[in-house]
Amino acid sequence: MSQHDDRTRHTRRPGLTRRQLLQGMGAASTLPLLGGIAPFAIANGSAGRVVVIGGGFGGATAAKYLKRANPAIEVTLVEPAEVFYTCPFSNLFLGGLRDMRSIAHGYDELRDRYGVRVVHSLAEDVDPDGHRVHLANGETLAYDRLVLSPGIDFRWNGLEGYDEAAAELAPHAWKAGAQSELLRRQLEAMDDGGTFVMVAPENPYRCPPGPYERASLVAHYFSQHKPNSKVLILDAKDSFSKQGLFTAGWERLYGDRIEWVGLSDDGRVTRVDAENLEVETEFGTRHRADVLNVIPPQKAGFIAERAGVTDDSGWVPVKPATFESERVRDVYVVGDATVAAPMPKSGFCANNQAKVVAAAIAAELSGRSAPEPYWTNTCYSLIGPEYGISVAGVYRVQEGVIAEVEGAGGLSPADAPDHIRALEAEYAVGWYNAICQDTWGTSV
Amino acid sequence: MPHPLTRRPLSRRRLLAGAALMALSSLGFSSQALAEGPWQRLEAASERLGDATPATEGLVLELPHVSEDGAAVPLTVRFEGALADDDHLSEIHLFATGNPAPEIASFQLTPQGGLPEISTRVRLNESQEVIAIAKSHRGETFATAREVRITVSGCLMRGDDQGPEALANPRVSLPERFTAGEPGEVRTLINHPMETGLREGADGETLPRHILERFTVTLDGDTAFAADLHQAVSANPYLRFHLSPTEDAEVVFEWQDDSGESARHEASLSLG
Ligand SMILES: Cc1cc2nc3c(=O)[nH]c(=O)nc-3n(C[C@H](O)[C@H](O)[C@H](O)COP(=O)(O)OP(=O)(O)OC[C@H]3O[C@@H](n4cnc5c(N)ncnc54)[C@H](O)[C@@H]3O)c2cc1C
């Protein structure tokens, strides 16, 4: 049985503590009895098998916190990439304020310090009845509990003319990595006097304030290097996250460099011509771009659909107290893929949700009931390198649904002096360092 | 990063499990339950129905299960049922059971409309049920309802919005060419604050009600589509509907608000 071999190999990895080693060996020695799919009543040291799909904010956190809750749980993390580039702070890269290395993270700590088995492959299918996951590398993993944190996939052609090929000409850069680098190269190559056009999506989508932070930091780059260039945001919404704060910040730092056209002023783009860098709105206005950034409509990562946990919206409804799927037993889903509103689709929320899931699974596997959860979130956005704003929220389950706790959290003040904005920009960096430390524990 | 999507057929077992789930989730909306549906409990709706027991299949409401912005929830209502050859759908009424005033909008349809499918954007005060009722020219009735959960996400808090100028920028999008007898999609948008009369301004005084009340579309002078709008239609009313002209025609779009002001847009429709 290949699983048996893999697990045995896993227990021999260097860097494990003696205790982990013993527990790992215990698990391996029970394997032949398990038959892979037996519901887990597992004796002799293994506290159950959990497979986590996705090594981003939600998945990496879930893997680590499961091990922290109970090192005897066998945790396998499936993630194709060996280096994870965070979307948070990728806008700083686009604005020329950071390099890609500074937003890159790896899996060494999860593997070496926490004893998570990390498999760099893509999960292709889930068999929820058989409690198995099929990987692209041919391996099959059996689980007692499955955690999905696959993030988002794009609805290619959900916006006419915008498909994977178009994204090579008009990047989305809404998953960080090669797309971010492509967009940055285009911005650098653009002649002064050009227009950066951003197509912003309707709700719900990953990171509600993200498009407006990006517009800000591109405007910052222009103000330093291409002073005659403009930013035009064509939006499928009439209002957006922290709108008052963004608008005031834009005026303060960039004058009229940034123009925002909302839904009711014919801002909704309905067709993209990536070849000619041209977009057309619902009422027929055409806009030509020098650099075109299309943030397309989104849905849960495809593996969620394969697991049968999505609804007809393309997102995943979950039980609020545990984030277990409403539809499929023993499958837990966290992060952007879920319907967790009023919690936004943020990395911070994914990290928090993952901790709640880890606690719930660890409790369940040892026959206890899950602790009562609460979640917090802060979204920092940088309007300039020294101009930060934020919105914070605290969430609990109230009357069976996730609700924002009234009076907790809040928004940066509207009329704060510059030094407060500068402090918030510093806090944003502190937040980034802390959450990445908590999630991956490493930079590459 | 592109994901290789090697399709694996769903097992029969999984399909069955899926079907069972769907059946479960629609339990609350069996035909029986709907015949005594929420429209019976809402006076504004039951008045429209009179003694009729509406059919609960045929009329379809599309709304998000969860909306993060109650100020503009996209809504589509569509008729997929069958009617006698000489009959057509003539009215659709929309209601928000949890709003201070339940009426959202009423639409008058004609055979010139061709396809009974209308989209707009609506205001929903809180999580609630939205109801649609329809009648045909010869008196058949239909009803349906949809639950919507409204959550205003902290990350989505609104900026101060200054109301748009009333009746500015009427916009119309028509198909480049109509084909005789085939419905063509028409979209309209106009700036209007749709002030509800329930909201306080910055000075604490209630802002007077100021809404767009009626929208009409005529083909060579005959009404082809009309809508009565209420406070629950979002600011800057958007309407998507269909026209199915049988010959070249002059089309006039007219928006009227409750202050007596109006806006017009004219165009020539040509079949080709
Ligand atoms: C420009 C931008 C700025 C942002 N800024 C912030 C911010 O400042 N603060 C904040 O909190 N959030 C921010 N976000 C949002 C944040 O990036 C997401 O909310 C967060 O990444 C969600 O975590 P996740 O675990 O759901 O998904 P991800 O972090 O995207 O992780 C998903 C992982 O799953 C893997 N995966 C997918 N499918 C499979 C499969 N089938 N098999 C194996 N692996 C798979 C992917 O490779 C990926 O690594 C920003 C987003 C953007 C786009």
Side-chain angles (χ1 to χ4, degrees), chain B residues 112-178:
Chain B
Q112 303 259 48
L115 179 71
E117 178 181 309
I118 301 162
S119 301
T120 185
R121 296 193 269 265
V122 303
R123 293 171 167 150
L124 298 176
N125 230 31
E126 55 185 27
S127 300
Q128 57 180 282
E129 215 159 13
V130 174
I131 295 173
I133 283 175
K135 283 192 199 176
S136 80
H137 183 61
R138 290 175 44 178
E140 306 232 32
T141 57
F142 303 87
T144 191
R146 216 32 225 251
E147 195 79 47
V148 185
R149 193 152 77 80
I150 304 294
T151 66
V152 177
S153 153
C155 253
L156 286 164
M157 266 188 281
R158 315 207 120 202
D160 292 351
D161 54 345
Q162 279 195 321
E165 191 188 337
L167 296 166
N169 302 316
R171 291 186 166 96
V172 172
S173 148
L174 294 164
E176 264 170 44
R177 196 159 285 119
F178 280 92

Side-chain angles (χ1 to χ4, degrees), chain A residues 160-278:
Chain A
E160 190 189 325
Y162 197 70
D163 56 15
E164 281 179 277
E168 295 303 315
L169 304 167
H172 52 76
W174 220 241
K175 293 184 183 182
Q179 276 276 310
S180 322
E181 290 179 298
L182 174 61
L183 185 54
R184 174 69 192 166
R185 279 199 302 277
Q186 292 184 348
L187 287 167
E188 282 174 344
M190 189 187 90
D191 288 335
D192 188 20
T195 303
F196 170 71
V197 176
M198 175 195 287
V199 177
E202 60 187 291
N203 295 318
Y205 64 94
R206 158 175 285 182
C207 194
Y212 314 98
E213 180 188 67
R214 175 172 295 175
S216 307
L217 295 180
V218 169
H220 166 75
Y221 168 67
F222 287 168
S223 69
Q224 306 284 301
H225 300 278
K226 313 208 160 156
N228 300 306
S229 308
K230 296 260 180 216
V231 175
L232 172 64
I233 308 168
L234 299 171
D235 210 324
K237 302 179 292 301
D238 261 337
S239 62
F240 60 85
S241 171
K242 298 182 266 190
Q243 184 166 3
L245 290 168
F246 270 112
T247 311
W250 290 344
E251 222 161 87
R252 169 94 178 72
L253 299 183
Y254 307 119
D256 57 2
R257 190 183 298 280
I258 301 177
E259 185 188 354
W260 175 75
V261 181
L263 176 68
S264 290
D265 292 311
D266 196 21
R268 188 163 90 98
V269 168
T270 48
R271 206 174 56 79
V272 175
D273 177 352
E275 206 111 353
N276 294 307
L277 299 183
E278 199 174 84

Side-chain angles (χ1 to χ4, degrees), chain A residues 122 124-126 129 153 164 204 239-242 263-264 282-283 302 306 312 327 341-342 379 391 404, chain B residues 2-6 8 13-14 21 65 68 121 151 153-155 157-159 171 187 189 191 236 238:
Chain A
L122 185 79
E124 281 189 335
D125 207 355
V126 174
D129 296 332
D153 270 345
E164 281 179 277
S239 62
F240 60 85
S241 171
K242 298 182 266 190
L263 176 68
S264 290
E282 184 162 26
F283 291 92
F302 78 93
R306 295 293 172 85
D312 59 11
R327 306 196 157 200
C379 291
V391 58
E404 187 160 2
Chain B
H3 292 127
L5 289 178
T6 41
R8 239 173 250 266
R13 186 138 156 251
R14 268 173 82 187
L21 264 175
H65 301 293
E68 298 184 23
R121 296 193 269 265
T151 66
S153 153
C155 253
M157 266 188 281
R158 315 207 120 202
R171 291 186 166 96
R187 285 169 289 181
L189 175 70
N191 290 158
N236 305 311
Y238 168 87

Side-chain angles (χ1 to χ4, degrees), chain A residues 53-60 78-81 84 86-91 107 121-124 149-153 173-176 206-207 210-211 213-214 301-303 334-337 344-351 377-381 431 435 440, chain B residues 1 3:
Chain A
I53 298 181
F57 279 89
V78 184
E79 161 64 52
F84 182 87
T86 61
C87 284
F89 277 31
S90 65
N91 286 333
Y107 299 94
S121 183
L122 185 79
E124 281 189 335
S149 192
I152 55 163
D153 270 345
W174 220 241
K175 293 184 183 182
R206 158 175 285 182
C207 194
E213 180 188 67
R214 175 172 295 175
F302 78 93
I303 197 69
V334 296
D336 290 356
K345 296 189 188 302
S346 75
F348 199 150
C349 284
N351 169 281
N377 178 62
T378 307
C379 291
Y380 286 99
S381 300
W431 170 82
I435 195 128
W440 296 275
Chain B
M1 173 191 43
H3 292 127

Side-chain angles (χ1 to χ4, degrees), chain B residues 220-236:
Chain B
D220 288 337
D222 296 333
T223 301
F225 176 82
D228 294 307
L229 310 178
H230 302 272
Q231 297 102 301
V233 171
S234 303
N236 305 311

Side-chain angles (χ1 to χ4, degrees), chain B residues 21-72:
Chain B
L21 264 175
M22 302 230 303
L24 264 182
S25 64
S26 59
L27 259 187
F29 288 87
S30 72
S31 314
Q32 187 53 35
L34 278 182
E36 300 148 13
W39 41 87
Q40 253 72 11
R41 295 191 294 273
L42 184 73
E43 203 180 313
S46 61
E47 268 173 16
R48 290 280 181 191
L49 286 167
D51 295 334
T53 303
T56 55
E57 256 145 49
L59 196 61
V60 178
L61 253 183
E62 265 177 32
L63 282 152
H65 301 293
V66 181
S67 171
E68 298 184 23
D69 181 6

